[in-house]
Amino acid sequence: MATGEAKPKAKAEAKPKAKPKAKAEAKPKAKAEAKGKPKAKPTKSLKTSKAPKGKATTAWSQNSTIPHSLYTHSKPRVVAVKEGVKLERPQKVLKDKDSNQDKVLQETIQSNLECFLFLQQPEQAERILMLCHRSPVKQKLLDVSAYNIVMRCWARKGCLQHIDQLFSMLESVDLRPSLDSYAAALQCLGRNQSPADAIQRYLEKLKSDGFHVEELFEKCLFEEDEKEKVLRAIRTVLPNYQLPPPPKPQTCKSSLLQDFYSKEKVVSYPKLDFSVEELQERFQQQLQMELNNTITIESVEAAKPPTPQAVKARELLGTLRSQWHDAILQALQKSRQSMAKARTLSKYNILYPYMCLLPDEEYASIMLQVLNTLSPQGESLAVLARELSSKVYSRYITHRKLRSHQLEKLQGVYEDYIHLLAKDSQPDQYLPREYWEKLVAEAGLGSSLNLKDCSWPYVVLMRLGMHMLELLVKAVTVPRNLLNPRLESKPIPVLYHIYSYQNTWQVGLIKPHPIFSQIVTDAAETMLTFHSSAMPMLCPPVPWTSPHFGAFVVNDTKLMRFVDGDVQHQLLLDQCPPVNLHPVLDALTQLGNCAWKINQPVLDIIISIFNDKGNEQLDIPPPLSEAPRPPTAPGHSSTWSKALKHELLLCKKKAAEMHSLRMDALYKLSIANYVRDKVFWFPHNMDFRGRTYPCPPYFNHLGNDVTRAILLFAEGRPLGPRGLNWLKIHLINLTGLKKKNALQERLEYANEIMEEILDSADRPLTGRKWWMNTDEPWQALACCMEIAKASRSPDPAAYISHFPVHQVGAQQIFMAHDGSCNGLQHYAALGRDLIGAVSVNLMPCSVPQDVYSAVAQQVEEFRKKDAERGVKIAQVLQGFISRKVVKQTVMTVVYGVTRYGGRLQIEKRLKEIDDFPEEYLWEASHYLVRQVFNSIKEMFSATRDIQTWLTESAKLISQSGRTVEWVTPLGLPIVQPYYRMKSTVLNCGMQNLSVRTPNNSQKPDTMKQKNAFPPNFIHSLDSTHMMLTALHCLRQGLTFVSVHDCYWTHALTVDIMNQICRQQFVALHSEKILQDLSEFMLEKYCSPNTETIATWQKKLMEQLSNVPRTGEFNLKQVMDSTYFFS
């Protein structure tokens, strides 16, 4: 949340579109820092008049030094430190309050040392280490890994004397050397070809510290030739020493996957329709794209010929960018020279090594990319700072992988790995992960594929980004008279810093000057630049083998997505036995291995409408030229009426929304157009609950109707005897019609309207346009086209599409099946709730049951009784209770919506009813939300009992100061990342940033922990069911992907997938899920450390032991329920 100290001079701008990725908000900096002016008082209307809650991190001064004053003030205050000013030593170290700041400083020191290791500057690394080692305060922040980094620096230079000294330093501060310490020493000894007695001395010390030589190769990660040098040293003393054999592969013991991992029942992994040579060529294309870091593609708007004005503007932009490039290079060099002068720790600039990691050209390119993509509405400093530093970090990791020869080794392993997938190689009974691990073990020496973790602290990333942003703002100028020759020619900044209001908080923005925005608009450039990780992959993804390795070839990808600064998820994954993660890793790999292609006819229709002013009804955003024109505003803004100001604000807001939607659609369509003739893949990862997502953020199958309509499976299959029928049923599902009808009735309806279906396929834009009036028009159109082709083929059952690379052929479509109110299905199954099971289609029925209509009917019964008793609001509501009014609240009750949230949902629905009396909105929504909750409680009694049990358990756990953790039935460890976040104030040159990041040293947020546990737990079961289905579909040879609880496969295999989906749901809920959860939590939270048990532990033990009772529903009936998934 943003905090501010000074009333800004600039007028507040309209709120820009917020990007979700940045957690830091701007804290406007007092003007007092310059020229000794008195500090401006904050405006009284803002919440910012009080000091921020977070403690000011004065350690990160204006010039990013590491002074000792990190520990000084018990009350927060922001201090601006001028370059070169030496800060006083603290009087004492604050223990508890500063533990997080200590952690940040410790991580910063280590990442600084890692940078010097990469830069091959052991002298600089040792200088920083020595400065900290000699400081009584800083010394406490150094752990053995800091000393190890410096040892590795010297080991690569072969300087044994320095390593001996570092071992002595460890001893002097009572730190025990680790395996990495000995690996560095032995590497140095091997590099120098040292005598046997020196090596023997270190080997004996290693043994006396409780280690074994084998552990060096089993547990340490090596880069470049480090492993070979360690082995050479050992063989000097033990000539016959052999590397320890790779550990025997472990098999997952999960009862849910015994058949899947059984070697007796294993089948060959399905082949792709590509030869080894073709896949190798694709891998090289993907590798080159990732090494280039970015890719520039043609926009779908490029089809329009440029106007003379556009040509002139593009030439001007080219000239300006060349000038800016030179100015940025100059600014970078000047900044780095200034940083390099520091000689004491208090003046040392922590950003110095980060500004040396890349060639200057790459820093300049990154800064210009941010400038080129800046919206005319501007962007938050925090977002831009995070974007800049993330790009630097990404490039650093790429260089590191190249330097360490990790990519060289990965390339060799991948070229062998594709034999598992290629059609012209022998079939093999390995899973991708198993085959990859086998190949890595066989590769032996060389760099480890998993590099040592070298992540940068969030505070450092924000500081680095802010520093680069400041350089950019100062360096990039434009002549004032560029567009108006009558003005003077003095240079003015292209970017300027303003403040805006977001929910009464001041937020710093960087906004482009109107001159620059005008040139960009006139140029109408038709090239778009994306980071390589934003693009679909051109080869099958690297299989997930650990929480740190998988997906892209070069780009770093986390197995689990989490917010900046949150480390608990990663710690849990790292501590989890690798074999327990195999099901999750294998499921993610399988989802990523689905090959895709573009439905070109549909894409071409969409692009034609996009370039012809769009169509909001069809979800194709119009260009800004179609935005509502703001009214003419005469005179000065102080004379405008309130109504005029409001109208102008609405126009500005609408324009910002339209720009955002238009750019989002432009990105998606341009990427799709770029891969229109290619086969491609979407690597996957997951969130902390286990829900899976494609890694490329813009264009993927989780997108909207438009995006899904232009995606096809690359693999073609015949429709088979029932495939055409499934296509027709799928089309009717997409229309939103016949929801309450049986499948046979939907099929009959499709046959009745075949004339409309064929007309839509043949003349989508000139015919009767039946497809346009459906719920999902673009997917409906794609399905119409597929039905037309199949029904017109000589033998529809044999109709098949096969796509050779770079050739246009016929198409095939997939079937998407949705769970029926999926969360309630899991609750009904957990509680064996008979009435609930009927309502959510777990029980066989002749027609689908509609839980929303059932709840609306129950609410209406309650209303009638109240109306008869004379309750006024019940009488007013006569005739207004419908499925639509209650649907959203019923849907979200299972995911933890409160009565307050539910009331707002119902109020919104009632407002949409023209005849409903406005004066009764609040009372009616208040009454209805109570009755909806009562209805659900009556209909789903077991559901409410389980929800209450989960909520109360989470409440007691979080009140004890712990976060809620559990393990899914597939073995994935989960922790809820909700804490009472505190702000850290960063003093930056342009303004202060109030950074809020979670950390595990802070107390959990009890309210969020308890309210989020039931929905998060259900989401984790939902993802478990999906992963089980994915893995068993693999064994049956099906193509399978999912959009959470929406499962996709070919029309041919819908019946098989339906059977697998039901089998896995029954298998999952046949486990003692709630009992296992209770036992896990009792062991984790209630195992007494002392003989006496605390009162809160007794209360929690009682709560956790009281597992809700289950009802009479027979789970096996799900197998015969047609509408469980339909």
Side-chain angles (χ1 to χ4, degrees), residues 54 116 148 150 153 198 204 211 245 257 264 269 314 316 365 416 428 446 487 569 717 836 869 871 1018 1054 1056 1073 1084:
F116 286 124
N148 289 346
V150 183
C153 287
E204 285 172 4
F211 299 120
L257 289 165
E264 290 78 39
Y269 193 78
R314 288 176 192 179
L316 178 57
S365 171
D416 288 336
D428 229 322
L487 298 173
H569 304 295
R717 296 198 176 189
R869 292 204 309 267
V871 177
I1018 293 300
V1054 169
I1056 304 169
I1073 294 174
K1084 179 158 190 70

Side-chain angles (χ1 to χ4, degrees), residues 947-965:
Q947 214 170 13
T948 302
W949 181 73
L950 293 171
T951 303
E952 285 303 306
S953 301
K955 179 182 171 184
L956 291 171
I957 289 166
S958 56
Q959 282 177 343
S960 74
R962 311 278 293 278
T963 48
V964 177
E965 293 181 30

Side-chain angles (χ1 to χ4, degrees), residues 389-401:
S389 58
S390 296
K391 287 180 174 179
V392 172
Y393 179 75
S394 174
R395 286 306 290 157
Y396 161 60
I397 292 298
T398 301
H399 282 293
R400 195 162 170 249
K401 287 179 177 179

Side-chain angles (χ1 to χ4, degrees), residues 5 255 351 387 587 653 672 888-889 921 943 953 963 1048:
E5 294 185 292
S255 57
L351 297 182
E387 187 179 343
K653 186 179 179 184
Q888 190 182 9
T889 307
L921 274 173
T943 295
S953 301
T963 48
W1048 298 6

Side-chain angles (χ1 to χ4, degrees), residues 529-653:
T529 299
F530 295 100
H531 192 272
S532 57
S533 62
M535 302 295 287
M537 288 187 71
L538 304 177
C539 66
V542 174
W544 282 106
T545 56
S546 80
H548 299 276
F549 190 82
F552 290 102
V553 178
V554 180
N555 295 317
D556 244 18
T557 313
K558 294 284 186 192
L559 176 69
M560 190 175 276
R561 303 169 174 213
F562 44 83
V563 298
D564 288 306
D566 196 354
V567 297
Q568 271 199 303
H569 304 295
Q570 198 62 49
L571 288 172
L572 268 185
L573 291 172
D574 290 342
Q575 290 162 7
C576 182
V579 69
N580 290 6
L581 293 176
H582 285 177
V584 171
L585 299 175
D586 293 339
L588 286 168
T589 298
Q590 190 52 31
L591 293 171
N593 272 354
C594 174
W596 301 86
K597 73 180 212 82
I598 294 296
N599 188 334
Q600 294 186 18
V602 176
L603 175 63
D604 289 338
I605 295 168
I606 292 168
I607 290 173
S608 70
I609 295 174
F610 180 84
N611 282 333
D612 185 27
K613 298 186 178 179
N615 185 322
E616 288 191 87
Q617 182 201 338
L618 294 175
D619 204 18
I620 299 178
L624 269 180
S625 59
E626 302 301 301
R629 297 288 169 202
T632 308
H636 192 266
S637 59
S638 59
T639 64
W640 297 347
S641 67
K642 192 174 181 180
L644 179 60
K645 285 180 181 176
H646 183 65
E647 195 173 346
L648 285 166
L649 187 65
L650 288 179
C651 284
K652 203 167 189 178
K653 186 179 179 184

Side-chain angles (χ1 to χ4, degrees), residues 889-902:
T889 307
V890 174
M891 194 188 297
T892 51
V893 156
V894 67
Y895 294 122
V897 76
T898 60
R899 293 200 179 209
Y900 174 75

Side-chain angles (χ1 to χ4, degrees), residues 553-776:
V553 178
V554 180
N555 295 317
D556 244 18
T557 313
K558 294 284 186 192
L559 176 69
M560 190 175 276
R561 303 169 174 213
F562 44 83
V563 298
D564 288 306
D566 196 354
V567 297
Q568 271 199 303
H569 304 295
Q570 198 62 49
L571 288 172
L572 268 185
L573 291 172
D574 290 342
Q575 290 162 7
C576 182
V579 69
N580 290 6
L581 293 176
H582 285 177
V584 171
L585 299 175
D586 293 339
L588 286 168
T589 298
Q590 190 52 31
L591 293 171
N593 272 354
C594 174
W596 301 86
K597 73 180 212 82
I598 294 296
N599 188 334
Q600 294 186 18
V602 176
L603 175 63
D604 289 338
I605 295 168
I606 292 168
I607 290 173
S608 70
I609 295 174
F610 180 84
N611 282 333
D612 185 27
K613 298 186 178 179
N615 185 322
E616 288 191 87
Q617 182 201 338
L618 294 175
D619 204 18
I620 299 178
L624 269 180
S625 59
E626 302 301 301
R629 297 288 169 202
T632 308
H636 192 266
S637 59
S638 59
T639 64
W640 297 347
S641 67
K642 192 174 181 180
L644 179 60
K645 285 180 181 176
H646 183 65
E647 195 173 346
L648 285 166
L649 187 65
L650 288 179
C651 284
K652 203 167 189 178
K653 186 179 179 184
K654 178 67 176 173
E657 286 172 0
M658 285 179 69
H659 174 78
S660 175
L661 291 170
R662 180 78 176 178
M663 293 306 292
D664 181 60
L666 178 68
Y667 288 176
K668 287 174 178 171
L669 294 176
S670 299
I671 293 171
N673 199 45
Y674 174 74
V675 294
R676 65 182 295 128
D677 296 316
K678 298 174 169 52
V679 173
F680 51 90
W681 288 261
F682 295 124
H684 280 60
N685 64 359
M686 61 186 172
D687 67 13
F688 75 90
R689 303 163 300 185
R691 298 199 101 187
T692 60
Y693 300 86
C695 298
Y698 302 115
F699 175 65
N700 58 61
H701 61 288
L702 257 69
N704 60 3
D705 175 47
V706 173
T707 313
R708 295 185 192 190
I710 54 182
L711 280 168
L712 295 169
F713 290 135
E715 181 192 7
R717 296 198 176 189
L719 284 179
R722 285 167 52 86
L724 183 56
N725 287 349
W726 274 120
L727 278 174
K728 291 175 181 177
I729 292 167
H730 176 53
L731 174 62
I732 303 308
N733 289 345
L734 290 167
T735 66
L737 304 168
K738 309 293 177 185
K739 287 179 182 176
K740 298 179 184 179
N741 295 62
L743 291 182
Q744 186 59 35
E745 290 170 348
R746 296 181 209 181
L747 178 59
E748 288 166 5
Y749 177 69
N751 289 327
E752 287 169 19
I753 61 164
M754 271 302 286
E755 195 177 327
E756 296 287 0
I757 293 170
L758 296 175
D759 177 74
S760 293
D762 297 338
R763 299 182 298 152
L765 299 181
T766 58
R768 294 191 292 273
K769 305 175 188 176
W770 169 84
W771 64 276
M772 288 189 182
N773 299 311
T774 60
D775 280 3
E776 308 282 356

Side-chain angles (χ1 to χ4, degrees), residues 21 29 120 238 378 439 445 449 468 525 573 578 612 664 738 800 825 839 882 911 913 966 1095 1101:
K21 59 186 175 183
K29 188 170 183 181
Q120 299 179 336
L238 305 168
L439 293 171
L445 296 170
L449 287 183
M468 292 175 70
E525 291 183 299
L573 291 172
D612 185 27
D664 181 60
K738 309 293 177 185
I800 188 170
Q825 287 181 325
S839 300
S882 66
K911 276 182 182 175
I913 302 172
W966 69 99
T1095 309
M1101 284 172 74

